[in-house]
Amino acid sequence: MKSSIKAALVMTATLSAPVLAEQSGVSFDHKDWEVVCDNTLTCRAAGYSAEEESSGSVLITRKAGPDSPVTVDVVLAEMDADETTQQATLSLWIDGKSQGEIATEDNDSWRLSDAQARSMIDAVKGSGKVEFKGGAKPFVLSSDGAYAVLLKFDDVQGRVGTPGALSKKGDKAESSVTPAVAAPVIQAVEVKGGEDRTLTKAETAALKPRLLAALTSGNECDRLVSPQEPVIDGDNDITLTPLDGKQVLISTLCWRGAYNEGYGYWVVDKALKGTPQFITNSASDYSDGVISLGQRGRGIGDCWASAEWVWDGETFRKSSESTSGMCRYVRAGGTWDLPEFVSEVKEAK
């Protein structure tokens, strides 16, 4: 199930010309480890217990730039009814030797000290046994895939061969490390529209071919191509939502699966005469100038993909994109927040 959570984000649209510069970051997974680096080059690597154990996960986080500190957080599995992690006294053990208790970050997560973090990373990228004790059951951190993921982590941040590298250390100057990239700034614009309405049959017939033509490569809207029968709750309707005095938002159900569904969204002039601008075919909702996506990687909801697009007066610009990590039965709602794209959204004035 490693790739299923990513598939939900693959279904999101490749945005059109005004926002091509706003590309997502880098993600890579190998065996029991994964790394996601966002567009600012902040990287987060998540490691898990062996898949058949599902006892916990760690998250290594580091911002881009020279001399950036490393943090390591730990969570224990709590999907089973008889498991609880709150107020547990957790300790780190490496190769059978205690490395001391771990400070509680909040009621259900812990943060390693700098010394503990270094010891854990050195052990897990090699052949050491890393274990966390104190929960309902021991959490043995898998080392399978760790070195490859940490090498990718360093490569994205330009740290390979430097003293601060997580993987291959060397004597390259720390000043050679790639600096952080500034997050894009989005000025949100207040939506000034009216009530939603369903397009008439005549409007639908005239607009539908242009909506389909606007779809970008790899994005489909099957239900717009072939409406489903019988019609249930207006599934085949195309809805118009005013945005301002000139433009409207068009939406319709594009696809439905076992536990997810995706709506398509386009921006077009209110007269419905121009070329529609495609935003996404996998959104979950729209409200007050924000299109949002929330798709689960599998039915039990232990892994999710999410994204948002914000109205800036001309189009909906992608403002965030993330997953919650591998589908590993660790936490309901997902284990971590692993952003691939971040931005600074300024509230509408």
Side-chain angles (χ1 to χ4, degrees):
M1 299 298 293
K2 289 180 183 178
S3 61
S4 60
I5 191 67
K6 294 180 182 178
L9 282 178
V10 168
M11 291 186 291
T12 63
T14 301
L15 298 182
S16 50
V19 285
L20 278 176
E22 297 176 3
Q23 297 299 315
S24 298
V26 175
S27 62
F28 170 76
D29 65 78
H30 185 54
K31 298 183 178 178
D32 296 322
W33 281 76
E34 64 185 328
V35 60
V36 178
C37 301
D38 65 32
N39 51 308
T40 72
L41 300 185
T42 292
C43 292
R44 297 167 177 87
Y48 303 83
S49 55
E51 190 163 8
E52 61 274 11
E53 296 178 3
S54 299
S55 53
S57 179
V58 302
L59 182 69
I60 302 172
T61 304
R62 194 179 209 178
K63 293 183 178 181
D67 300 309
S68 295
V70 176
T71 61
V72 178
D73 294 303
V74 184
V75 295
L76 301 179
E78 58 175 20
M79 289 288 287
D80 293 331
D82 60 347
E83 291 179 349
T84 180
T85 64
Q86 292 190 4
Q87 306 301 327
T89 300
L90 204 63
S91 58
L92 170 66
W93 290 69
I94 296 178
D95 293 330
K97 297 181 180 180
S98 175
Q99 308 298 308
E101 291 186 4
I102 306 171
T104 304
E105 182 68 6
D106 52 41
N107 283 339
D108 61 358
S109 70
W110 296 260
R111 176 161 293 180
L112 273 60
S113 67
D114 291 344
Q116 288 171 330
R118 287 192 297 269
S119 296
M120 188 211 78
I121 292 169
D122 287 343
V124 79
K125 71 181 182 182
S127 57
K129 180 181 180 181
V130 177
E131 187 173 11
F132 299 91
K133 297 182 180 181
K137 59 184 177 182
F139 162 31
V140 178
L141 177 63
S142 173
S143 61
D144 290 344
Y147 187 81
V149 163
L150 295 178
L151 182 61
K152 184 67 173 179
F153 192 125
D154 285 337
D155 181 55
V156 171
Q157 294 192 331
R159 298 186 193 277
V160 177
T162 65
L166 301 178
S167 56
K168 291 183 178 179
K169 296 182 183 293
D171 57 5
K172 287 177 60 177
E174 187 69 14
S175 60
S176 67
V177 171
T178 306
V181 177
V185 177
I186 301 174
Q187 176 60 64
V189 171
E190 183 180 358
V191 172
K192 298 179 180 179
E195 296 295 322
D196 295 354
R197 70 174 179 87
T198 301
L199 295 190
T200 66
K201 289 184 177 180
E203 289 172 326
T204 296
L207 185 60
K208 179 178 172 179
R210 284 179 284 135
L211 295 178
L212 292 172
L215 294 172
T216 55
S217 177
N219 294 283
E220 300 177 351
C221 191
D222 291 344
R223 283 178 173 258
L224 187 58
V225 174
S226 301
Q228 303 293 303
E229 298 291 346
V231 177
I232 301 174
D233 296 329
D235 277 357
N236 297 338
D237 291 345
I238 299 178
T239 301
L240 180 154
T241 303
L243 295 170
D244 55 27
K246 298 180 179 180
Q247 299 181 91
V248 297
L249 183 65
I250 299 296
S251 61
T252 191
L253 180 66
C254 280
W255 56 268
R256 176 171 285 151
Y259 39 82
N260 289 317
E261 60 185 12
Y263 286 81
Y265 285 87
W266 296 256
V267 175
V268 70
D269 63 282
K270 72 173 186 177
L272 307 181
K273 300 297 184 182
T275 300
Q277 183 184 54
F278 175 56
I279 306 301
T280 179
N281 69 336
S282 294
S284 304
D285 194 17
Y286 166 78
S287 178
D288 296 328
V290 178
I291 297 171
S292 58
L293 175 155
Q295 306 285 0
R296 66 180 69 191
R298 59 182 181 180
I300 60 176
D302 61 335
C303 49
W304 288 78
S306 61
E308 286 191 344
W309 295 261
V310 174
W311 176 244
D312 71 353
E314 296 182 1
T315 188
F316 282 86
R317 292 180 58 185
K318 183 172 66 175
S319 58
S320 66
E321 179 182 347
S322 67
T323 76
S324 64
M326 290 183 182
C327 305
R328 286 302 184 94
Y329 203 69
V330 177
R331 293 290 176 93
T335 308
W336 303 109
D337 179 27
L338 306 179
E340 293 191 21
F341 185 86
V342 297
S343 67
E344 178 188 349
V345 177
K346 294 188 175 181
E347 292 185 6
K349 300 177 181 179

